[in-house]
Amino acid sequence: MPPKRIPAEIGTAAVEAALAGSAPDRATAVRYLLQVLAESAEGNSVEVRVPPFGAVQAIEGPRHTRGTPPNVIEMDATTWLSLATGASSWAEAVASGSVHASGSRADLSGYLPVRWVGE
């Protein structure tokens, strides 16, 4: 069963609150922005993980079916919120070590920032 979709109005409010420093809204904001990424970059070739809040598969290309996917991107919630909203760039996050990316397709620079309703 697919995860429950976060309505845009709830997701947008959570992102705005999280950006203002509200910790209770952080989980919803992270999940909503991951959802927006998955919708805007449809595919299954890259898994984007933001533990413990969520993970999505995105970007067109070969699909994996078992075990750890060949293209994985992992980061913490603060980094994801910063990247997804455009507060920092992909290159900055990778250079600082805030993003752990493996695989030939593990690059979100062409998909960031995501287009969320409240931007």
Side-chain angles (χ1 to χ4, degrees):
M1 174 185 293
K4 183 178 175 185
R5 285 188 38 74
I6 299 169
E9 56 276 357
I10 292 173
T12 298
V15 172
E16 290 170 350
L19 292 175
S22 173
D25 294 301
R26 181 179 290 271
T28 301
V30 167
R31 288 183 187 114
Y32 176 66
L33 292 172
L34 284 170
Q35 173 183 300
V36 172
L37 173 69
E39 291 169 353
S40 64
E42 288 186 43
N44 297 302
S45 69
V46 178
E47 186 164 293
V48 181
R49 300 174 180 169
V50 184
F53 301 114
V56 295
Q57 291 185 0
I59 305 175
E60 266 186 51
R63 180 184 182 129
H64 74 278
T65 55
R66 291 187 179 188
T68 302
N71 301 289
V72 176
I73 298 169
E74 189 167 323
M75 67 199 85
D76 63 26
T78 301
T79 301
W80 172 242
L81 290 171
S82 181
L83 286 169
T85 60
S88 65
S89 74
W90 177 256
E92 292 168 342
V94 170
S96 72
S98 299
V99 170
H100 303 283
S102 64
S104 61
R105 294 177 176 268
D107 181 348
L108 294 179
S109 59
Y111 304 96
L112 297 173
V114 299
R115 301 272 183 227
W116 56 286
V117 175
E119 63 178 330

